[in-house]
Amino acid sequence: MQILDGIKLSKEIKNEIKLKVESYKEQGKRAPHLGAILVGNDGASRTYVDNKIKDCKFVGFESSELILDDTISQEELISKIKEWNNDANLDGFIVQLPLPKHIDQEAVINAIDPDKDVDGFHPMNFGKMALEMETFLPATPYGIMEMLERYNVPTAGKHTVVIGRSRIVGRPMSILMSKNGNPGNSTVTITHSKTEDLAKYTKEADIVITALGVPEFLKADMVKDGVVIVDVGITRVDDPSSPKGFKLAGDVDFENVKEKASWITPVPGGVGPMTRAMLLKNTLLAYNRNNK
């Protein structure tokens, strides 16, 4: 069993980006610029945006954040997005999800300029991904693909089972793993809450990518020997022995499943750090497009 180490790999990627930014500055060019819009005061979202700002500082990006009250109207939020769409010095930005219930998430995503949509959620970018055209890939699937490529995990001709069909992870993963390329060229089965006898599919899988959000759902008796496991799930679970009173658990029963796996991502320290690194790579792509 070998670990797919997202912490180590994300550091390598950030150092690569840092060197590129330094070379741009030596040429007299401005630094890439990433923005984040946060609506409300959700603790997890706040932490995520703070980490993105730290990442920007490390690689030499400019960063901007706009924190808006959770009572803001949808029209006011879209007006702010349009201002950022028209800011020539801002290469890309994200609107942190989830949004308050009175705001239509789809309307907000559609309001973002596709050329600045570094989250890769706009329908135009999603469509380009499906057509295997260059575009901004959703950061978590992008991170998984980068991880499989850099660790030389074979995917061609393999049977990949994806658990979950969200637009953020499951559905993009099913598209990317079946694309003509490396990684890719897998035969993909996408499973979800309505799948009957889900274990029947996971037992046959060469690669399992799970984004369910149910702690330790995937047990050792649900997978075969030599399986590759990518665990996207991350849930707080009560743990009296921890100083924080909780631990972070993935979708996979890691201690038991690792005995059968050839490769496996830990939680935390697997997919999460790669997601943040890929947002930087998408911003770099946006910057290079702007500076052609």
Side-chain angles (χ1 to χ4, degrees), residues 171-184:
R171 203 168 295 280
M173 282 313 310
S174 70
I175 293 167
L176 293 169
M177 288 300 286
S178 62
K179 75 180 175 68
N180 184 14
N182 179 43

PDB file of all heavy atoms in Angstrom, residues 171-184:
ATOM      1  N   ARG A 171     -19.792  14.122 -10.712  1.00  0.00           N
ATOM      2  CA  ARG A 171     -20.060  14.151 -12.155  1.00  0.00           C
ATOM      3  C   ARG A 171     -18.815  14.563 -12.954  1.00  0.00           C
ATOM      4  O   ARG A 171     -18.482  13.927 -13.962  1.00  0.00           O
ATOM      5  CB  ARG A 171     -21.256  15.066 -12.452  1.00  0.00           C
ATOM      6  CG  ARG A 171     -21.933  14.727 -13.760  1.00  0.00           C
ATOM      7  CD  ARG A 171     -23.263  15.434 -13.906  1.00  0.00           C
ATOM      8  NE  ARG A 171     -24.247  15.019 -12.925  1.00  0.00           N
ATOM      9  CZ  ARG A 171     -24.961  13.904 -13.004  1.00  0.00           C
ATOM     10  NH1 ARG A 171     -24.779  13.071 -13.999  1.00  0.00           N
ATOM     11  NH2 ARG A 171     -25.854  13.617 -12.079  1.00  0.00           N
ATOM     12  N   PRO A 172     -18.085  15.624 -12.516  1.00  0.00           N
ATOM     13  CA  PRO A 172     -16.847  15.930 -13.237  1.00  0.00           C
ATOM     14  C   PRO A 172     -15.851  14.768 -13.236  1.00  0.00           C
ATOM     15  O   PRO A 172     -15.196  14.509 -14.248  1.00  0.00           O
ATOM     16  CB  PRO A 172     -16.272  17.132 -12.486  1.00  0.00           C
ATOM     17  CG  PRO A 172     -17.384  17.701 -11.716  1.00  0.00           C
ATOM     18  CD  PRO A 172     -18.368  16.623 -11.480  1.00  0.00           C
ATOM     19  N   MET A 173     -15.740  14.039 -12.133  1.00  0.00           N
ATOM     20  CA  MET A 173     -14.804  12.914 -12.083  1.00  0.00           C
ATOM     21  C   MET A 173     -15.180  11.837 -13.095  1.00  0.00           C
ATOM     22  O   MET A 173     -14.313  11.228 -13.730  1.00  0.00           O
ATOM     23  CB  MET A 173     -14.744  12.297 -10.691  1.00  0.00           C
ATOM     24  CG  MET A 173     -13.924  13.052  -9.661  1.00  0.00           C
ATOM     25  SD  MET A 173     -12.290  13.593 -10.172  1.00  0.00           S
ATOM     26  CE  MET A 173     -11.549  12.142 -10.877  1.00  0.00           C
ATOM     27  N   SER A 174     -16.477  11.594 -13.249  1.00  0.00           N
ATOM     28  CA  SER A 174     -16.917  10.574 -14.209  1.00  0.00           C
ATOM     29  C   SER A 174     -16.536  10.976 -15.631  1.00  0.00           C
ATOM     30  O   SER A 174     -16.159  10.132 -16.450  1.00  0.00           O
ATOM     31  CB  SER A 174     -18.429  10.344 -14.100  1.00  0.00           C
ATOM     32  OG  SER A 174     -19.162  11.451 -14.588  1.00  0.00           O
ATOM     33  N   ILE A 175     -16.597  12.275 -15.926  1.00  0.00           N
ATOM     34  CA  ILE A 175     -16.226  12.782 -17.252  1.00  0.00           C
ATOM     35  C   ILE A 175     -14.713  12.695 -17.448  1.00  0.00           C
ATOM     36  O   ILE A 175     -14.225  12.221 -18.483  1.00  0.00           O
ATOM     37  CB  ILE A 175     -16.719  14.241 -17.427  1.00  0.00           C
ATOM     38  CG1 ILE A 175     -18.255  14.293 -17.454  1.00  0.00           C
ATOM     39  CG2 ILE A 175     -16.126  14.881 -18.672  1.00  0.00           C
ATOM     40  CD1 ILE A 175     -18.836  15.686 -17.320  1.00  0.00           C
ATOM     41  N   LEU A 176     -13.960  13.159 -16.453  1.00  0.00           N
ATOM     42  CA  LEU A 176     -12.502  13.226 -16.588  1.00  0.00           C
ATOM     43  C   LEU A 176     -11.853  11.843 -16.630  1.00  0.00           C
ATOM     44  O   LEU A 176     -10.899  11.619 -17.377  1.00  0.00           O
ATOM     45  CB  LEU A 176     -11.910  14.051 -15.436  1.00  0.00           C
ATOM     46  CG  LEU A 176     -12.269  15.546 -15.459  1.00  0.00           C
ATOM     47  CD1 LEU A 176     -11.863  16.218 -14.149  1.00  0.00           C
ATOM     48  CD2 LEU A 176     -11.604  16.249 -16.641  1.00  0.00           C
ATOM     49  N   MET A 177     -12.370  10.903 -15.849  1.00  0.00           N
ATOM     50  CA  MET A 177     -11.767   9.568 -15.828  1.00  0.00           C
ATOM     51  C   MET A 177     -12.054   8.786 -17.107  1.00  0.00           C
ATOM     52  O   MET A 177     -11.352   7.825 -17.427  1.00  0.00           O
ATOM     53  CB  MET A 177     -12.238   8.784 -14.610  1.00  0.00           C
ATOM     54  CG  MET A 177     -11.653   9.286 -13.290  1.00  0.00           C
ATOM     55  SD  MET A 177      -9.854   9.208 -13.202  1.00  0.00           S
ATOM     56  CE  MET A 177      -9.606   7.441 -12.988  1.00  0.00           C
ATOM     57  N   SER A 178     -13.086   9.196 -17.848  1.00  0.00           N
ATOM     58  CA  SER A 178     -13.408   8.499 -19.099  1.00  0.00           C
ATOM     59  C   SER A 178     -12.840   9.214 -20.320  1.00  0.00           C
ATOM     60  O   SER A 178     -12.959   8.715 -21.438  1.00  0.00           O
ATOM     61  CB  SER A 178     -14.923   8.346 -19.252  1.00  0.00           C
ATOM     62  OG  SER A 178     -15.551   9.613 -19.324  1.00  0.00           O
ATOM     63  N   LYS A 179     -12.193  10.375 -20.121  1.00  0.00           N
ATOM     64  CA  LYS A 179     -11.680  11.125 -21.264  1.00  0.00           C
ATOM     65  C   LYS A 179     -10.523  10.383 -21.937  1.00  0.00           C
ATOM     66  O   LYS A 179      -9.894   9.515 -21.330  1.00  0.00           O
ATOM     67  CB  LYS A 179     -11.242  12.532 -20.843  1.00  0.00           C
ATOM     68  CG  LYS A 179      -9.933  12.583 -20.070  1.00  0.00           C
ATOM     69  CD  LYS A 179      -9.574  14.002 -19.703  1.00  0.00           C
ATOM     70  CE  LYS A 179      -8.329  14.071 -18.828  1.00  0.00           C
ATOM     71  NZ  LYS A 179      -7.083  13.693 -19.487  1.00  0.00           N
ATOM     72  N   ASN A 180     -10.246  10.773 -23.158  1.00  0.00           N
ATOM     73  CA  ASN A 180      -9.157  10.163 -23.921  1.00  0.00           C
ATOM     74  C   ASN A 180      -7.852  10.850 -23.538  1.00  0.00           C
ATOM     75  O   ASN A 180      -7.535  11.924 -24.037  1.00  0.00           O
ATOM     76  CB  ASN A 180      -9.425  10.292 -25.420  1.00  0.00           C
ATOM     77  CG  ASN A 180      -8.372   9.586 -26.249  1.00  0.00           C
ATOM     78  OD1 ASN A 180      -7.594   8.789 -25.740  1.00  0.00           O
ATOM     79  ND2 ASN A 180      -8.334   9.885 -27.531  1.00  0.00           N
ATOM     80  N   GLY A 181      -7.122  10.260 -22.623  1.00  0.00           N
ATOM     81  CA  GLY A 181      -5.871  10.863 -22.178  1.00  0.00           C
ATOM     82  C   GLY A 181      -5.362  10.174 -20.936  1.00  0.00           C
ATOM     83  O   GLY A 181      -5.929   9.185 -20.479  1.00  0.00           O
ATOM     84  N   ASN A 182      -4.271  10.699 -20.389  1.00  0.00           N
ATOM     85  CA  ASN A 182      -3.706  10.153 -19.157  1.00  0.00           C
ATOM     86  C   ASN A 182      -3.568  11.269 -18.122  1.00  0.00           C
ATOM     87  O   ASN A 182      -2.913  12.267 -18.384  1.00  0.00           O
ATOM     88  CB  ASN A 182      -2.317   9.548 -19.429  1.00  0.00           C
ATOM     89  CG  ASN A 182      -1.679   8.995 -18.158  1.00  0.00           C
ATOM     90  OD1 ASN A 182      -2.342   8.350 -17.363  1.00  0.00           O
ATOM     91  ND2 ASN A 182      -0.415   9.279 -17.958  1.00  0.00           N
ATOM     92  N   PRO A 183      -4.201  11.110 -16.955  1.00  0.00           N
ATOM     93  CA  PRO A 183      -5.062   9.984 -16.583  1.00  0.00           C
ATOM     94  C   PRO A 183      -6.403  10.041 -17.331  1.00  0.00           C
ATOM     95  O   PRO A 183      -6.800  11.079 -17.792  1.00  0.00           O
ATOM     96  CB  PRO A 183      -5.250  10.153 -15.082  1.00  0.00           C
ATOM     97  CG  PRO A 183      -4.795  11.519 -14.746  1.00  0.00           C
ATOM     98  CD  PRO A 183      -4.046  12.086 -15.888  1.00  0.00           C
ATOM     99  N   GLY A 184      -7.050   8.914 -17.392  1.00  0.00           N
ATOM    100  CA  GLY A 184      -8.311   8.797 -18.114  1.00  0.00           C
ATOM    101  C   GLY A 184      -8.400   7.424 -18.757  1.00  0.00           C
ATOM    102  O   GLY A 184      -7.783   6.464 -18.306  1.00  0.00           O
TER     103      GLY A 184
END
